[in-house]
Coordinates of all heavy atoms in Angstrom, one line a residue:
L238 N 98.2 86.8 108.5 CA 99.6 86.4 108.4 C 99.7 85.1 107.6 O 98.9 84.2 107.8 CB 100.2 86.2 109.7 CG 101.6 85.4 109.8 CD1 102.7 86.2 109.1 CD2 101.9 85.1 111.2
M239 N 100.5 85.1 106.5 CA 100.8 83.9 105.8 C 102.3 83.5 105.9 O 103.1 84.5 105.9 CB 100.4 84.0 104.3 CG 98.9 84.1 104.1 SD 98.2 85.7 104.4 CE 98.7 86.6 102.9
R240 N 102.6 82.3 105.8 CA 104.0 81.9 106.0 C 104.5 81.0 104.8 O 103.7 80.2 104.2 CB 104.2 81.0 107.2 CG 104.0 81.8 108.5 CD 104.2 80.9 109.7 NE 104.1 81.6 111.0 CZ 103.0 81.7 111.7 NH1 101.9 81.2 111.2 NH2 103.0 82.3 112.8
T241 N 105.7 81.2 104.4 CA 106.4 80.4 103.4 C 107.7 79.9 104.0 O 108.1 80.3 105.0 CB 106.6 81.2 102.0 OG1 107.7 82.1 102.3 CG2 105.4 81.9 101.5
D242 N 108.3 79.0 103.2 CA 109.6 78.4 103.7 C 110.8 79.0 103.3 O 111.9 78.5 103.5 CB 109.6 76.9 103.4 CG 108.5 76.1 104.0 OD1 108.1 76.5 105.1 OD2 108.0 75.1 103.4
S243 N 110.7 80.2 102.6 CA 111.9 80.8 102.0 C 111.8 82.3 102.0 O 110.7 82.8 102.0 CB 112.2 80.3 100.6 OG 111.1 80.5 99.7
P244 N 112.9 83.0 101.9 CA 112.8 84.5 101.9 C 112.0 85.0 100.7 O 112.0 84.4 99.6 CB 114.3 84.9 101.8 CG 115.1 83.8 102.3 CD 114.3 82.6 101.9
L245 N 111.3 86.1 101.0 CA 110.5 86.7 99.9 C 111.0 88.1 99.6 O 111.6 88.8 100.4 CB 109.0 86.9 100.4 CG 108.3 85.6 100.8 CD1 107.0 85.9 101.5 CD2 108.0 84.8 99.5
R246 N 110.9 88.4 98.3 CA 111.5 89.6 97.8 C 110.5 90.6 97.2 O 110.9 91.8 97.0 CB 112.6 89.3 96.7 CG 113.7 88.4 97.2 CD 114.5 89.0 98.3 NE 115.6 88.2 98.8 CZ 116.8 88.1 98.2 NH1 117.1 88.7 97.2 NH2 117.7 87.3 98.8
C247 N 109.3 90.2 96.9 CA 108.4 91.1 96.3 C 106.9 90.7 96.6 O 106.7 89.6 96.9 CB 108.5 91.2 94.8 SG 108.1 89.7 93.9
C248 N 106.0 91.7 96.6 CA 104.6 91.3 96.7 C 103.8 92.3 96.0 O 104.2 93.5 95.7 CB 104.2 91.3 98.2 SG 104.3 92.9 99.1
G249 N 102.6 92.0 95.6 CA 101.7 92.8 94.9 C 100.3 92.2 94.8 O 100.1 91.0 94.9
W250 N 99.3 93.1 94.6 CA 97.9 92.7 94.6 C 97.4 92.6 93.1 O 97.9 93.4 92.3 CB 97.0 93.7 95.3 CG 97.3 93.8 96.8 CD1 98.2 94.7 97.4 CD2 96.6 93.1 97.8 NE1 98.1 94.5 98.7 CE2 97.2 93.6 99.0 CE3 95.6 92.1 97.8 CZ2 96.8 93.1 100.3 CZ3 95.2 91.6 99.1 CH2 95.8 92.1 100.3
S251 N 96.5 91.7 92.9 CA 95.8 91.7 91.6 C 95.0 93.0 91.4 O 94.7 93.6 92.4 CB 94.9 90.5 91.5 OG 93.9 90.5 92.5
P252 N 94.7 93.4 90.2 CA 93.9 94.7 90.0 C 92.6 94.8 90.8 O 92.2 95.8 91.2 CB 93.7 94.7 88.5 CG 94.8 94.0 88.0 CD 95.1 92.8 88.9

Side-chain angles (χ1 to χ4, degrees):
L238 168 66
M239 289 81 77
R240 295 181 175 89
T241 69
D242 295 329
S243 59
L245 297 169
R246 301 296 178 88
C247 66
C248 63
W250 296 89
S251 61

